[in-house]
Amino acid sequence: MKYTVRSSVDKHEFQLPRKAEFTSEFSVEMKGKNIAVRILETNSDGSLRLVMVNNRVIPVQVDRRGDGLPERVYLNGVSYRVEIEKVESTRFKPPATVKQVSGQVRAELPGQITSLFVEVGDEVEKGQTLGILEAMKMENELTAPRAGKVRQISASPGKAVMKGDLILELS
Amino acid sequence: MFKKVLIANRGLVAANCVRAVRELGACAAVVYETSDLGSAAVRAADEAIEIRSSNGSTAYLDVNAIVDAAVMCGADAVHPGYGFLAKSQELAHLLKERDIAFLSAPLFPRTKEVAQKLGIGVLPGTPLLRNWAEVESSYAAVGFPLVVRAVASYGGWGHRVVNDLEELRPAWDHVAKQCERHGVPGDIVLEKYLPDAHQVEFPVLRDHSGRVLALPEFETSVQRRFQKLIAESPAPSVKGALRGQIESSIPALVNQLGLEGFASVVFQIVGGEAYLSEVDGSIQASHSVTSLFSGVNVIREQVRVASGEALRIQEEHVQRRGHVIGAFLYATDPYRKFTPSPGRIGRFHAPMGEGIVLLSTVAAGDIVSPHYDPNIATLLVHDSTREEAITRMRLALADFFVDGIQTTLPLLRAIVDSADFVKVEISTSYLFSEDRRVQLLKGLRNEEDDEIAALVAALALNTDANASQIMESAQHGGLLWAMASRVLNRKKMEF
């Protein structure tokens, strides 16, 4: 199967063995070079855990998007952005990237809202700091996921929030 | 020696305090909240006392709960470790009333005045300020940029850099509110901010008879918004005659301040000149660097001296062994602006070997709580020279792998790899800008690994179909269909 994967700096095209022939040890051709790959360990859910590439052992982690496609790969803790652009086949196409960014700002971790810098009706820009969530004695900026108008504020300074709680919503 | 010391902290510092107390032959009791029942400090202690919070915040900071625990277990001393409690005047006062020793030196409000009289350069700043009116009348003498700092500040908490008058009020309000929220006194000072300064600290012990022992200094210039990331000893920024000058000024200073116990004298160094910024009377995580470098167990000697015993260690017992570097791992994600990353630790592969010391109380499978300090480990390396210690640290950090949670490991690697670190060109403001953080992290990537990452991403998708039910449907409808349906199923499950 031919894969096209885009990283933050380059576009990579290569063939992986078909599933039927898949073994934990194989060779992949990339830009004219042969790369020797072995899968050494997987997690209990089958996800990759330890691979050997050209005789180098690398612990790996793969973060996925909501639709299940890998979006970030950590090689020994170092993060690489990836996007699977194409898998060559007549029957399978990766779902199109969701372009609609939600206007909901939720608590990414449990903590306490210590400040909010906006009010209902304020126009905000993408990336603007909307407030501060304190957790682990650290301050975390709440930033606008996109431009918009503040439609609703569900939290107030001093309030404890759990992971996933809605803090405010942009229209 | 004390009969029983109550350790009022958690995590690594509590475990270190428990051991130091037990090494001295005293009984070590420790307080704990339920979630820490199985922790290293609780396991190592002779006695563990549960504390519960009365106000919804953590009981570890509840001064009354600590005092009650000390009285109940019959402790004759309380060791607060480091952090808010160590700087709590209220706790110091309540313990004194009950004739229980408090193993943290008091604040020394007259430090700068005394230092100046002794001819020691001091960082321009104000005395303790308690309200906005006092701030308004004193900021001009300090000048911008300045730092609004809570006297109880530690570990990146309780500081704000202010560049102009407009930023002053919000910064003051912010720090005052932080103090209020954590129940620490709202004693705040304004200090000159020197962005190009290097930070160097000189630990010192003084016993009841007035004998003083200065320990080797360590440098903590590598910080991110006042949270220390790397400490090393000896301090590479202290060159030539400066070390001797500073060291010889310290005994007179601590004598006049009346220190009994342990403290660190903190200097900002810029342009070859040292400016005293504070005398910090509590132990810190960075003191593990001093212990390894000098051979003096700082916590143990602190407890010994505080118990009224005379200093046993002589100048000639204090070693200066090669070079020691310490790197602090926090459960925060450097790829996401240092967002805290609590959760369950997956793999925890720590480097081991000659000249490598790992101080940590966590292991694979442990949960890092969102409610406490994010420091999960301190990695120390020891070697003959700074250059060799840097190489050793570089390799040790490359071997260190933690997943399940995100940690400061990638950033530590990038810093130790940088030419700026090697050349001692990292000042305390180095990591203030987000651009610098992003640049450092980018520097860890390379072309070859970019290819491997792409390969791993495809492989992850490919091997996903390995699950048995997928294999089954793969036989019927073909693999690609199976992969697509798997992806769709996942999507359904998550939304």
Side-chain angles (χ1 to χ4, degrees), chain B residues 84-85 87-88 150 152 157 178-187:
Chain B
F84 300 123
L85 273 190
K87 306 210 172 169
S88 167
W157 172 91
Q178 275 193 321
C179 289
E180 199 184 301
R181 205 165 47 245
H182 292 288
V184 297
D187 293 333

Side-chain angles (χ1 to χ4, degrees), chain B residues 220 228-231 285-289 326-330 375 377-380 408-409 412:
Chain B
T220 51
K228 292 164 190 176
L229 289 170
I230 291 175
S286 343
H287 287 129
S288 53
V289 168
F328 302 109
L329 254 75
Y330 300 102
N375 183 215
T378 302
L379 176 67
L380 300 170
T408 43
L409 258 174
L412 290 168

Side-chain angles (χ1 to χ4, degrees), chain A residues 1 3 5 7-10 12 14 16-19 22 26 28 30-31 33 35 37 39 41 43 45-46 48-51 53-54 56 58-70 72-82 84 87-92 95 98 108-110 112 114-115 132 134-141 143, chain B residues 84 154-157 160 174 177-178 181-182 224-225 227 331-333 335-342 347 349 368-374 398-404 406 410 413 441 444-466 471 477-481 483-484 487-488 490-491 494-495:
Chain A
M1 274 184 290
Y3 286 82
V5 183
S7 72
S8 48
V9 294
D10 210 350
H12 306 281
F14 52 90
L16 284 186
R18 286 190 64 87
K19 197 72 197 173
F22 198 88
F26 53 91
V28 177
M30 246 170 140
K31 297 202 173 94
K33 294 170 297 180
I35 300 178
V37 183
I39 297 172
E41 286 176 23
N43 293 308
D45 63 357
L48 298 177
R49 184 177 151 95
L50 196 66
V51 298
V53 181
N54 287 341
R56 203 173 112 215
I58 310 170
V60 298
Q61 290 155 267
V62 180
D63 280 0
R64 291 162 184 268
R65 309 197 304 219
D67 61 18
L69 281 182
R72 207 188 263 258
V73 169
Y74 293 91
L75 301 178
N76 195 20
V78 177
S79 161
Y80 288 84
R81 276 200 169 280
V82 291
I84 300 205
V87 182
E88 206 151 286
S89 126
T90 50
R91 306 174 84 157
F92 171 66
V98 182
E108 280 187 32
L109 55 153
Q112 189 182 32
T114 59
S115 332
I132 303 284
E134 196 175 286
M136 282 178 135
K137 156 186 138 329
M138 315 259 301
E139 293 178 354
N140 306 283
E141 291 180 356
T143 52
Chain B
F84 300 123
Y154 91 101
W157 172 91
R160 258 302 204 260
H174 175 84
K177 234 185 249 168
Q178 275 193 321
R181 205 165 47 245
H182 292 288
R224 182 189 174 265
R225 305 196 178 169
Q227 183 179 53
T332 58
D333 187 352
Y335 288 107
R336 293 184 178 87
K337 289 187 174 179
F338 294 88
T339 307
S341 181
R347 283 171 282 180
H349 297 169
V368 177
S369 161
H371 303 298
Y372 308 120
D373 188 281
D399 282 353
F400 206 158
F401 179 75
V402 180
D403 70 2
Q406 297 298 330
R413 286 184 196 159
L441 291 170
L444 290 173
R445 300 187 191 142
N446 62 57
E447 270 178 42
E448 192 193 333
D449 282 6
D450 194 65
E451 285 180 4
I452 295 174
L455 184 61
V456 168
L459 210 50
L461 195 61
N462 197 325
T463 51
D464 217 343
N466 251 346
M471 285 301 285
L479 170 76
L480 295 171
W481 177 84
M483 281 171 64
V487 167
L488 290 173
R490 204 185 275 254
K491 195 174 178 183
E494 290 192 10
F495 291 99

